Structures are given as structure tokens and as C-alpha cells.
Amino acid sequence: MTNLPKNYDPKEFESRIYKQWEEGGYFKARMKAGQPSYSIVLPPPNITGQLHMGHALDHTLQDILIRWKRMQGFNTLWQPGTDHASIATEVKVVERIKEQEGLSKEELGRDEFLKRAWVWKEEFGGKIVEQMKKLGDSCDWERERFTMDEGCNKAVTEFFVRLYNDGYIYRGNRIINWCVDCKTSLSDAEVEHDEVAGNFYHVNYKVKDSDEVIEIATTRPETILGDTAVAVNPNDDRFKHLVGKTLILPILNREIPVIEDDYVDMEFGTGAVKITPAHDPNDFEVGERHGLEKLIVMNEDGTMNEKAGKYAGMTRFECRKAIVKDLDEMGLLVKVKEHNHNVGHCYRCHNVVEPLVSRQWFVKMKDLAAPAIEVLETGDLKLVPDRFDKTYLNWLNNIRDWCISRQLWWGHRIPAYYCQDCDEIMVADSMPHICPKCKSNNIKQDEDVLDTWFSSALWPFSTLGWPRQTAEMLKFYPTSVLVTGYDIIFFWVIRMVFSALYVLDEVPFSHVFIHGLVRDSEGRKMSKSLGNGIDPLEIIDTYGADALRFTLATGNSPGNDMRFYMERVEASRNFANKIWNASRFIFMNLENSQKKEFKREDVNEALELSDKWIISRVNSLSKEMTENMDKFELGIAVSKVYDFAWSEFCDWYIELVKQRLYSEDSISKDAALYTLTYVLEKILKLLHPFMPFITEEIWSYMEKEEKIIVSSWPAYQEADDFKLEEEKMDIIINAIRNLRNLRAEMNVPPSRKAKLLVVSNSATKAVIKEGENYFTALASASEVSYMDNEDLVPEDAVSVVLDGAKLFIPMDELVDFEKELERLTKEKDKLESEIKRVVGKLNNQGFLAKAPQALVDEEKAKQDKFEQMLDAVNQRLENVKAKL
């Protein structure tokens, strides 16, 4: 056996090991019969840039689960891939074309634009995969997919056609979220609501042929131009006499009715609500109920159109200012009141979203949502942690129809075709050759593409070959768990659930393991604007992938955000270094050993108390970690193996057996070497899912036939259960720890040996006798003596109290009284000097007259403290002199 290099250097082996894994085919999904399957689909990262710390956390957690299940003997598949991210990618490509060619996408044309988009995909999709490999992702790369590859395209088209034929997809004019900057519609999930400072503008609407007015309050005065009614609550007595009458719309002087609707909250605002069906989702529903006109007064770029009268051409915000000014001059502006309210923003460009009536494609959601609700309520689907059940159910119970069309070029083009001669709509998996209604062949495909999440919703099964019934579908579907952040429950998780239930009548995964966000050390969300983002690749380059992974896993608690501290990364690297050095120490002793291989049956009778203790402890650890992993408590599991490896194995067991390794007793030495290697192997296996690179590298020096990545996960074994030895060692370790603390408090160096006196008549005495050599090795005991009572214990002996025993160390065993006398004398001189200085200062009338009272009090306090310390030193001096 050769030994490890002296220094732990992850740069030397991480890339080499990953290449060995890939070339050896260790990531490939196996189709072995008779073995259980375990599969995860990777949430596909966008092809718009590089991996960030959120990706690093998400991927680390998935890789831990896959590596663990692979070691447990499962047929594992971690399905990788990337997402086309239509809006985000199109924005990037448009920017590149403008920068490099000075053209807009319209000037370039659709076909040429798409060619450049595919070039972008090849460039950045490949970069992202390489970054994932640096992190250690053990995906089956031969099965890598892209949401716009041929197979996914077929799945998307099939899904759309089925939904349309079953009456779930329709095209109509409805209120949608419109981004005036991206110039496309957005689903509700793609709108981020932020609280912003704004105003309530109170405006009077005159009643026709009357001196009466109705006061309304609005945060968006520019939409007054699109009002087609004012609504009041049917139970509001204040307005009953006005219902059915006509109001004169300010500025445009159009006539609009006063209507009744339960939607109006009598307690909010003025109790009267302006209704703008074309520019507000709630007003749209009111307008549908009352047959109101949907008057669009705004263009798709956010400017006012010709129906806005003199404000045409202004931006919506310019129009707001102008209207407020005009209303004030007309005497119709009652007041302006500051009001903070939630405003929708585009999740991609972060501009204010405009509610707008538009002709789009929609999915009817009510009937599709019902089964998705049922599977959570029946337990067929479990969210971890389950506190997110409420979020999931609330979203589905209040879901609106899903707007799926996007006014973009990059994405899955909608498989809808229009006859240019008779306006017949045809939905099909390929271009129809002839119109079934008028027999014309003048047919054109819809220009729009589908929402990104329409294709992502199919990811768990489209990547396995659906709509074909493939061998992979039969083996790995439904998948086992989805690992994702809580921020995309609406975007993605819910859509995958209802889509799978619709086409396959079963959940796409049994568990959703939800993690939080990675925040900076101050708890802030990492963002470009704050400049607080941390590049995981830079961390890997400096500290190694294992240190980053271990940090992210250690801080993980399902559903909770975690703060990222560089100090913790350094601590993780220090832990890796600790494991490296411990392994190197063990290998060094194996090199010097006569035997190179140890079997349990050869050393079983020679196993000592500490051997059985550490074997039993790692056995218990295996069981506990497995239970934690089953419950997705990865942070707890990794903390347990950390504590065991660092403290119990390295700091205690290795120190306990060192004297045996250097002894002439070959039987005891062999038992120690067997235990060291046996426990180290288990530690490496338990650590492998979390720190795959260092564990594989150390494992390679153990000359095993198989790599650790496919070794067996440690399972609990009855033969390794030594509960009695654990209890005994707990007593011994507790005693040694207390003795060490006592000596440290007295500044006694470990090199100074001292007699240990044990007073006990209980079973504890027998335990201490059994572990006597541990006290000489780790508690600096020169010898251990036993007595039945304390009569013979020196009066000045210091003590440690245990359950069933008291341990004493005579003072003269701990202290070199000559040196202590010298030290105390110096301490006395120093204190007397300090007291003299303080007294002199307090007797100085000039100081007392000029110094603030607080400073004077501080000096008096110093005098009291120094005098008390001097008294203690003098007392100690007397005791020491009495010993000489």
C-alpha cells in the first residue's frame, strides 16, 4: 500500500477522478431486473448564463441522494438537461445581435434569428454542463436532454393537441399580464409582486343631470380613460338611489352606468369602484358578468392609444401625471393620499406589468387542478416540509386559466394553423395541407410560442420518451423525488403534477424535497444589483468542490433559507484536511505492518474496549444517518458524520490506540489496525455522497477492487452492536474530558504527569480499571490508585465528580512549587505597581478636578480590582511557601 501525498490538494485529483467516473460509466442508469429503481429529474438550468449558488445547493442535494441510493444498490437515474427559457434567452440573443450586428430581430427575420439562438444554446448549454461536472454532478450524461430537442418537441405538440381536443385549451380575449418591455404575455406565476410607494387619487364622477357626484379612489388615474362603469355593493345604502343612473366620465365626458356587484368592498376606499374591464383582472370579471365593453386605451409598448384622446402617444406614466394635473384644474381631484400597495413586475426584466385584454391561448385550469389537489390530500404526493401544503393548495384552489401564448420567436411554436381564406382554426401535430372547411391551401401557422413552463411541465416524462412507452418509462417513472427551491412551486411543481395526472393518471414523483435560498452572510438575497453574489466556481477553484458541497449540505434544513459564510467553507476544507491526515496516518502504520490485510475473525478475540466502542459507534451512526436521509434531513446526517469523524474517531480513538501501534504486542497492534481501517472505510462511505472526490481519492489508496461510488452503503449490523462497551467508554471519555478541563484551568501543561486517585466502591471503579491505560495516555496520569474513602486523599487535592466515583489529583502532583513561587512573586510585583499608579492618579488633585466623573470612577474600580487580585495572589503565595 502506498501512502497519500503529504498535503491535501483537491486541484490535483478532482478533475482526474471525475474523468474516471465518466469513462467508467458509473453514472449510467442500469436496467437490472430485480433491483429497485430510484430516479430524479434535474430542474433544467436556463441556457442564459452560468450556475449560481442556488444551483450549487440544488445540485448538491440531488447528487447526495443519487449517490446514496446508488450505494444502496438501486438502479439510479439522475436525468440531466437544460431549459430553453424562452423570454430570458430571447432577450440575451436580441442584445447580442444588436451589439454585434446592429440589427433588431425584426430586421434580421425569424429564421435568421432562430439560427443565432441555436448558436447561443450550443455555446452556453455546453458551458453549464461543464460547470455541473466541476461540482461533481453524477448525472447520466448520455441521456442529456434539452426542452426544445426533437423528443421534447413531439411531447409538447402531443400535449397541446390532446388538451385542445379534450376542450381544455381555447383561444380568446381575456385579461392577461403584459410586459411592455419584453412585449409578451406572462402567466400569473411569472409576475412578481413588490410593495411600492404610491398614491390613492380620489376623483369625483358627476351624476348626469344632477348636482350629485360619486367619489372613487384609484392608484392608476391613466386607466380612467378606459372606464365603462362604476360599481357599488348591492347592500350599500349610500348608493342605492344612484344604481342604474348614468355618470359623466371625467375628461372624455363619456356616459357610463352605475352598477351593483358583490365584488365591491363597502369598507375599502370610498365604497364605489371604477370598472376598467380591459385593464384590470378583477374589473374584467365584473365586466363579463355585466356585459360591459372592454375598452383598450393602451398600446402593447405601454403608450396610450387613439382612444385615450389628447393623451395618445404618451407613456402610461406620463399620462398619469397629465391626467392628475387636468383633473385638479377641473376641480374633480378631491385629494391625493399616500398609499403603499403591491404592484406586479415582470420576473425577467422587472418592469411594471400591465393588465391588458388580449387575444391569447389559454388552458382551462379548474378541472385540471382538482386531481392535483386530491393527490396531496390523499398523501400520494408529499411535500417536504409539509408546511408548504398550504401554499400549494391555496394556489390551486384560487387558480385562474393559464395564459400559455407568448409573443416571442424562441420557443415551441404553437401548433395552431389558420386558414387565410375562411379563418378556420386547425390544431394538429403538423401543418395541414388543406382547410377542412373551405378546402383552401392558404394556411399559416400561429406566430406565437408557448410559455416556457408548458414544456417544463412535461419534463419528468418527456425526458423518458413520452408519448412513447419506452423501457425507461417503465423502469424509472414515476420518478422518486423532485428537489427544488420553494420559489418555483407555482412556476413548475404544480404544472408538472397536473400535467402528469392528465396524461398518465399518476403523480410524476412521490416526494417534493423543498429547500430554501442561499443568502449572503447578512441574510440578504444574492443579486447582481447588490453585488453580493458568490460564484460557486471560484469557491471550487480555491477550496475544492467537496468543501463547497459540505458547506451547502451542513447548512441545509428542508424549506429554510441558509446564510453563506466563507468561514464555513474554510471549516469544511479543514475537515477534509483532517480526514486526509487521519487516513495518511493509518496508511503509514499499515505500511509498517507485517500484515497487509486484516479479517474480523482473525482479530475478534483481541478487540479491546476502545475498539468495540468505536465499531459500535460507527454502526449506530450508519443506522442514524440512513434514517435521517430517508426523511431528507441531509443537514442533520452530515453533521453527525462530521462530529463522529472529527471528535470520536480522530480526536479520541486514534489518540487512544497510538501506544498500541508502537508497541511490541502484535496481536493488540493488529486489532487496532483492523479497527482503524474498518471504521475509516465506513466513514469514507458515509461521507461519499457529501464529499465524493476526497473519499474516492483516499479509497483508491486502499487498493479495493471497486470504486467507492459503487461500494455498498454501510448498514446496521447486530454483530457490531456493543452497547455495554459504549456505556463504559462514555464514562471514561467523560472522566478524561473533565480532568483535561481541570488541568487547563490551572494552566498545567499536558507534559506534566500527575497521580490519579480514584475513590469508588461502585461499578464505575471497574470501568476505570478497565480503561486505566487511557487515563495514562490522554489524561496525563502517571499512575492510577484506588481507595475506598477520601481519608487518605490530600486536603489540597483537586477533584472531578462522576456518577459513582470521585477522581482526585494531589496539588503537589500538578504544581512545580519553585516555579509557581517565582511566577506568583512576579504577579505580586506587577499588581503592586498597578495599584501604586492608580493611587497616585487618584491622589492627584489636578486629575480629579479636570477628569470626567466617569473616568474617575473607572480608576477607582481598577484600584478595587487590583487590590482583590493582590489579596488572592498573597493567599496563594502563603500556600505555596507552606509546601516548600
Side-chain angles (χ1 to χ4, degrees):
M1 174 180 282
T2 57
N3 207 346
L4 291 167
K6 184 176 181 180
N7 296 317
Y8 165 61
D9 181 10
K11 284 185 179 179
E12 195 280 323
F13 58 80
E14 287 191 348
S15 295
R16 167 170 50 82
I17 284 177
Y18 197 90
K19 186 177 180 182
Q20 290 172 0
W21 286 332
E22 277 200 286
E23 291 177 349
Y26 293 104
F27 302 159
K28 290 182 181 178
R30 307 297 176 186
M31 305 291 284
K32 294 178 183 176
Q35 286 185 327
S37 298
Y38 188 89
S39 55
I40 298 176
V41 287
L42 176 79
N46 296 347
I47 56 164
T48 53
Q50 68 176 36
L51 299 183
H52 53 64
M53 200 57 77
H55 289 121
L57 171 62
D58 196 55
H59 291 206
T60 295
L61 298 179
Q62 291 172 78
D63 196 42
I64 289 169
L65 293 172
I66 280 290
R67 287 178 182 272
W68 168 52
K69 286 297 181 180
R70 187 183 290 125
M71 294 175 76
Q72 283 191 320
F74 282 73
N75 289 317
T76 56
L77 167 62
W78 188 10
Q79 174 64 55
T82 51
D83 186 34
H84 66 282
S86 57
I87 296 179
T89 303
E90 182 149 323
V91 167
K92 293 284 187 182
V93 176
V94 166
E95 288 174 353
R96 174 183 272 194
I97 292 169
K98 185 176 181 181
E99 182 181 321
Q100 294 181 352
E101 305 179 53
L103 298 172
S104 67
K105 73 173 188 177
E106 289 78 15
E107 290 171 327
L108 195 60
R110 186 169 194 143
D111 290 343
E112 288 300 314
F113 172 81
L114 290 177
K115 286 180 184 178
R116 285 153 180 77
W118 280 104
V119 168
W120 176 282
K121 182 268 172 187
E122 293 304 316
E123 180 181 344
F124 287 94
K127 283 183 179 179
I128 288 170
V129 168
E130 290 308 309
Q131 292 164 6
M132 290 158 69
K133 291 180 178 181
K134 283 187 176 294
L135 188 62
D137 288 5
S138 59
C139 301
D140 187 344
W141 295 111
E142 291 185 3
R143 297 174 182 269
E144 183 186 345
R145 301 298 300 272
F146 177 56
T147 50
M148 281 176 59
D149 65 25
E150 183 181 358
C152 288
N153 266 326
K154 287 181 179 178
V156 167
T157 301
E158 173 76 13
F159 187 51
F160 188 97
V161 172
R162 283 198 194 184
L163 285 170
Y164 181 81
N165 289 338
D166 288 345
Y168 287 108
I169 285 182
Y170 66 95
R171 188 173 184 238
N173 287 304
R174 293 189 64 83
I175 196 85
I176 51 100
N177 304 295
W178 182 264
C179 178
V180 301
D181 187 60
C182 299
K183 294 184 177 59
T184 183
S185 60
L186 303 171
S187 69
D188 289 344
E190 293 169 312
V191 178
E192 297 176 342
H193 288 87
D194 300 316
E195 187 173 284
V196 299
N199 295 303
F200 250 144
Y201 300 89
H202 288 248
V203 181
N204 279 336
Y205 284 35
K206 291 182 178 180
V207 179
K208 183 181 178 182
D209 300 328
S210 169
D211 293 331
E212 279 193 88
V213 296
I214 288 185
E215 182 182 329
I216 61 94
T218 180
T219 58
R220 304 170 67 218
E222 66 276 14
T223 63
I224 288 175
L225 305 171
D227 286 358
T228 54
V230 167
V232 297
N233 191 286
N235 300 313
D236 197 332
D237 292 335
R238 293 174 295 176
F239 303 108
K240 279 192 177 297
H241 67 291
L242 294 176
V243 174
K245 292 193 175 181
T246 301
L247 303 178
I248 304 301
L249 184 69
I251 299 186
L252 296 182
N253 295 320
R254 270 193 294 107
E255 295 185 6
I256 61 174
V258 179
I259 62 174
E260 291 180 315
D261 198 279
D262 290 328
Y263 157 70
V264 181
D265 182 351
M266 292 188 294
E267 305 300 322
F268 185 74
T270 66
V273 178
K274 60 186 285 302
I275 303 298
T276 320
H279 294 280
D280 183 276
N282 293 311
D283 292 4
F284 178 86
E285 299 298 334
V286 174
E288 287 285 280
R289 288 194 289 273
H290 295 271
L292 299 176
E293 181 184 2
K294 301 173 183 67
L295 192 62
I296 301 171
V297 296
M298 204 176 294
N299 297 312
E300 292 181 350
D301 63 357
T303 59
M304 309 306 291
N305 65 23
E306 69 283 355
K307 293 180 182 177
K310 67 177 183 178
Y311 307 104
M314 293 184 182
T315 68
R316 51 188 167 160
F317 301 121
E318 290 171 345
C319 178
R320 179 179 299 178
K321 291 180 181 178
I323 275 195
V324 170
K325 181 175 180 292
D326 289 346
L327 288 170
D328 190 28
E329 291 175 353
M330 295 168 66
L332 297 177
L333 185 66
V334 180
K335 61 182 175 182
V336 178
K337 186 179 179 181
E338 291 184 357
H339 174 66
N340 291 343
H341 59 126
N342 284 324
V343 174
H345 294 76
C346 173
Y347 82 108
R348 179 56 54 187
C349 70
H350 306 297
N351 281 325
V352 174
V353 166
E354 192 62 45
L356 194 68
V357 165
S358 179
R359 191 165 181 76
Q360 303 284 343
W361 286 92
F362 296 87
V363 177
K364 294 178 183 177
M365 286 308 307
K366 186 177 180 180
D367 290 344
L368 292 173
I373 293 170
E374 183 181 356
V375 292
L376 190 77
E377 293 177 337
T378 59
D380 291 338
L381 175 70
K382 293 182 175 66
L383 306 186
V384 182
D386 60 10
R387 70 172 186 269
F388 287 101
D389 288 6
K390 184 178 179 181
T391 305
Y392 175 99
L393 293 172
N394 184 61
W395 178 262
L396 283 172
N397 283 318
N398 295 282
I399 200 164
R400 298 186 183 205
D401 286 357
W402 175 18
C403 177
I404 55 172
S405 46
R406 298 290 180 270
Q407 290 63 55
L408 303 166
W409 288 351
W410 175 245
H412 297 274
R413 196 163 174 183
I414 292 175
Y417 305 87
Y418 307 104
C419 176
Q420 302 301 293
D421 294 329
C422 73
D423 295 329
E424 176 72 1
I425 298 176
M426 295 154 276
V427 170
D429 55 11
S430 60
M431 170 78 81
H433 296 296
I434 191 168
C435 172
K437 186 177 180 181
C438 72
K439 309 306 179 185
S440 167
N441 59 5
N442 187 14
I443 298 170
K444 184 178 180 182
Q445 186 174 359
D446 196 301
E447 293 287 331
D448 291 351
V449 299
L450 289 162
D451 177 12
T452 300
W453 302 100
F454 192 89
S455 55
S456 299
L458 314 183
W459 191 245
F461 46 93
S462 65
T463 51
L464 295 175
W466 186 87
R468 292 182 297 113
Q469 183 68 289
T470 63
E472 289 82 0
M473 280 286 292
L474 293 171
K475 191 73 176 176
F476 295 110
Y477 191 85
T479 62
S480 305
V481 60
L482 177 78
V483 181
T484 188
Y486 60 66
D487 53 333
I488 59 171
I489 292 176
F490 313 131
F491 283 101
W492 193 38
V493 177
I494 288 173
R495 291 192 167 96
M496 283 189 285
V497 173
F498 73 68
S499 299
L501 290 169
Y502 169 67
V503 297
L504 294 165
D505 199 28
E506 57 184 336
V507 291
F509 25 71
S510 56
H511 290 82
V512 181
F513 174 21
I514 301 167
H515 60 77
L517 305 179
V518 183
R519 298 184 179 273
D520 69 10
S521 58
E522 297 178 27
R524 301 174 301 174
K525 188 174 180 179
M526 293 185 181
S527 67
K528 289 182 180 179
S529 59
L530 290 175
N532 62 342
I534 299 173
D535 185 350
L537 297 177
E538 290 181 6
I539 300 293
I540 291 171
D541 187 59
T542 306
Y543 297 97
D546 286 326
L548 174 60
R549 290 169 60 108
F550 196 83
T551 300
L552 293 170
T554 303
N556 179 262
S557 175
N560 293 330
D561 292 347
M562 63 171 289
R563 295 191 181 192
F564 192 88
Y565 298 92
M566 290 306 302
E567 293 83 358
R568 286 179 52 203
V569 182
E570 292 171 3
S572 296
R573 191 186 190 283
N574 292 342
F575 174 64
N577 198 57
K578 183 90 168 177
I579 297 298
W580 185 271
N581 290 336
S583 302
R584 191 169 184 276
F585 169 79
I586 293 168
F587 295 164
M588 176 186 70
N589 282 280
L590 287 170
E591 282 184 300
N592 298 332
S593 172
Q594 296 285 331
K595 295 179 71 174
K596 300 304 177 187
E597 186 177 351
F598 301 92
K599 296 180 179 178
R600 183 66 162 268
E601 56 266 27
D602 296 335
V603 299
N604 206 37
E605 296 300 320
L607 291 177
E608 299 183 11
L609 174 61
S610 61
D611 302 332
K612 291 182 178 180
W613 162 70
I614 201 69
I615 288 171
S616 189
R617 284 294 302 121
V618 79
N619 190 41
S620 298
L621 176 66
S622 302
K623 182 180 180 181
E624 292 173 15
M625 284 186 66
T626 302
E627 291 171 351
N628 292 136
M629 304 275 274
D630 276 330
K631 293 186 286 188
F632 302 100
E633 296 169 346
L634 308 188
I636 295 175
V638 75
S639 293
K640 285 181 178 178
V641 70
Y642 172 92
D643 291 340
F644 174 82
W646 188 295
S647 178
E648 294 181 75
F649 185 65
C650 293
D651 288 355
W652 283 100
Y653 181 72
I654 289 179
E655 294 303 315
L656 286 169
V657 300
K658 276 182 177 178
Q659 57 188 3
R660 292 164 62 190
L661 298 176
Y662 307 140
S663 75
E664 298 299 320
D665 185 343
S666 61
I667 295 176
S668 177
K669 183 177 180 179
D670 285 353
L673 285 171
Y674 164 80
T675 306
L676 283 167
T677 53
Y678 181 78
V679 177
L680 177 62
E681 284 183 20
K682 287 187 178 291
I683 289 173
L684 293 176
K685 288 182 177 183
L686 293 169
L687 270 176
H688 177 73
F690 304 92
M691 306 181 87
F693 292 105
I694 186 175
T695 51
E696 190 72 86
E697 178 70 357
I698 294 172
W699 187 263
S700 70
Y701 283 81
M702 300 181 83
E703 300 175 357
K704 300 287 184 180
E705 291 183 6
E706 62 185 9
K707 289 192 176 294
I708 197 171
I709 189 174
V710 288
S711 65
S712 59
W713 177 258
Y716 176 81
Q717 302 176 68
E718 289 289 343
D720 283 355
D721 188 357
F722 300 110
K723 283 290 180 286
L724 179 61
E725 284 76 6
E726 284 195 55
E727 292 171 4
K728 289 179 179 180
M729 281 303 299
D730 284 345
I731 293 171
I732 292 169
I733 289 173
N734 182 45
I736 292 173
R737 187 179 284 119
N738 278 286
L739 289 168
R740 283 174 163 180
N741 291 341
L742 183 67
R743 292 169 63 96
E745 290 169 5
M746 299 178 67
N747 296 314
V748 180
S751 59
R752 185 172 181 85
K753 300 291 183 180
K755 185 186 295 184
L756 181 63
L757 308 178
V758 180
V759 178
S760 175
N761 287 313
S762 71
T764 305
K765 178 180 178 180
V767 174
I768 293 173
K769 272 193 173 183
E770 189 175 353
E772 203 170 280
N773 59 324
Y774 304 143
F775 287 90
T776 58
L778 298 184
S780 301
S782 56
E783 61 177 288
V784 183
S785 297
Y786 302 89
M787 48 195 65
D788 295 333
N789 58 62
E790 300 180 29
D791 293 345
L792 299 177
V793 177
E795 290 184 4
D796 64 348
V798 292
S799 66
V800 167
V801 179
L802 302 177
D803 183 14
K806 287 183 75 173
L807 310 182
F808 296 90
I809 306 177
M811 183 64 73
D812 55 6
E813 292 278 330
L814 291 174
V815 179
D816 182 330
F817 289 105
E818 291 285 353
K819 288 185 177 180
E820 184 67 358
L821 179 64
E822 181 182 346
R823 186 188 71 80
L824 289 169
T825 300
K826 289 180 179 178
E827 183 69 14
K828 177 185 176 182
D829 292 343
K830 181 180 177 182
L831 287 168
E832 287 176 340
S833 175
E834 286 295 326
I835 291 170
K836 183 178 179 181
R837 181 191 63 77
V838 173
V839 170
K841 205 169 188 179
L842 292 173
N843 287 335
N844 184 331
Q845 295 302 314
F847 170 74
L848 294 175
K850 295 179 181 179
Q853 186 59 43
L855 186 56
V856 174
D857 292 341
E858 185 180 329
E859 292 299 318
K860 288 180 179 179
K862 285 182 183 179
Q863 181 182 352
D864 291 341
K865 182 182 73 172
F866 291 146
E867 287 175 347
Q868 289 174 21
M869 291 171 66
L870 182 60
D871 288 342
V873 169
N874 283 330
Q875 181 63 47
R876 183 77 180 128
L877 272 169
E878 289 180 19
N879 294 336
V880 171
K881 287 175 182 177
K883 291 285 185 180
L884 294 172

